[in-house]
Amino acid sequence: MRVLIVGATGLLGKEVVRLLSPEHQVIGASRKGSDLSVDLADKASIVSMYHQLETVDAVICAAGAAKFAPLESLTDEDFAFSLTNKLMGQVNLVRCSVGHVEEGGSLTLTAGILAQHPMAGSATVSIVNAGIEAFGRSAALELKGKARVNVVSPGWVSETLAAMGQARSAGVPAAAVAQAYRRCLLEDITGEVIQVVKW
Ligand SMILES: NC(=O)c1ccc[n+]([C@@H]2O[C@H](COP(=O)([O-])OP(=O)(O)OC[C@H]3O[C@@H](n4cnc5c(N)ncnc54)[C@H](OP(=O)(O)O)[C@@H]3O)[C@@H](O)[C@H]2O)c1
């Protein structure tokens, strides 16, 4: 299959590329350093990326940012940034995919554990992650028969915890999260939110 991976140079994206590359034709996208350049926060750049791409069988997004900060310090701009970037970026990735993804193709988005398990500082991230889950389920309904839409919701990733000076063992290795994206690509599922968490 031809698979577009947005966020291909990131921690999770690199693992997805590593996992899928032996069996699939992977096309990477990110703001810099990938086959294709795209900024999720800019709808025109998503449209432009799809126009440069021949049709693909699947799109996987392992990208998108939201501002993590205490509620009382969050500005209007912080909320706007978060909604425009990780939430609407992925919504637009699905909306603009029409005509660029083969009939019956697969679209996989990324949310995160803070949708269900908020913590201090996660207000915008939690909104965004919950929105992605809701959008994924409803888009799957509307696109049934045309495209499958699923969401991977990772818990804290081990490598990220290690980079933050915390115990790697409290998280899920990026390679394990990558398996969830592979499931969404290969299994006949749609409207699923796959949580990948350390229990
Ligand atoms: N790591 C975790 O513990 C964890 C846990 C739960 C959820 N998540 C979610 O998983 C996703 C990936 O996380 P990660 O840890 O792999 O992040 P990462 O290492 O920072 O990688 C992010 C990737 O996305 C690209 N990117 C960033 N902003 C972009 C934009 N506006 N448009 C297009 N591409 C963009 C980056 O490349 P460029 O900078 O060149 O664009 C990079 O390829 C994020 O949505 C994150 O919220 C992560």
Side-chain angles (χ1 to χ4, degrees):
M1 279 188 272
R2 271 169 62 79
V3 184
L4 172 70
I5 301 179
V6 179
T9 58
L11 172 62
L12 295 180
K14 271 195 272 194
E15 284 300 331
V16 178
V17 170
R18 191 171 297 139
L19 182 64
L20 299 183
S21 289
E23 293 178 353
H24 304 279
Q25 183 189 349
V26 166
I27 301 132
S30 57
R31 287 173 300 183
K32 50 190 180 330
S34 289
D35 303 317
L36 293 174
S37 168
V38 67
D39 181 356
L40 281 179
D42 175 6
K43 188 178 169 206
S45 104
I46 295 174
V47 171
S48 162
M49 172 191 69
Y50 276 129
H51 278 301
Q52 293 169 59
L53 192 65
E54 289 170 32
T55 309
V56 290
D57 300 290
V59 176
I60 292 173
C61 182
K67 177 82 178 178
F68 189 94
L71 182 56
E72 289 183 2
S73 74
L74 286 169
T75 62
D76 291 350
E77 290 72 25
D78 293 332
F79 279 96
F81 168 83
S82 306
L83 296 171
T84 303
N85 196 307
K86 186 171 177 179
L87 179 57
M88 284 312 298
Q90 296 193 83
V91 168
N92 286 332
L93 204 55
V94 171
R95 293 173 69 214
C96 300
S97 70
V98 177
H100 301 282
V101 175
E102 295 287 355
E103 185 95 357
S106 167
L107 303 159
T108 306
L109 308 181
T110 298
I113 191 170
L114 294 171
Q116 271 79 34
H117 301 281
M119 60 190 287
S122 80
T124 61
V125 185
S126 295
I127 293 172
V128 162
N129 287 346
I132 293 160
E133 291 190 11
F135 173 75
R137 291 191 180 100
S138 56
L141 267 183
E142 295 210 34
L143 297 177
K144 197 147 194 162
K146 296 180 188 156
R148 298 186 294 104
V149 184
N150 295 288
V151 175
V152 172
S153 179
W156 286 101
V157 176
S158 301
E159 290 86 340
T160 301
L161 288 176
M164 291 162 58
Q166 297 183 29
R168 176 182 279 268
S169 58
V172 191
V177 181
Q179 292 290 346
Y181 293 96
R182 186 171 184 270
R183 257 192 81 187
C184 295
L185 176 70
L186 299 182
E187 293 184 13
D188 187 20
I189 55 173
T190 192
E192 297 283 327
V193 175
I194 300 187
Q195 314 231 0
V196 191
V197 289
K198 172 98 179 179
W199 293 111

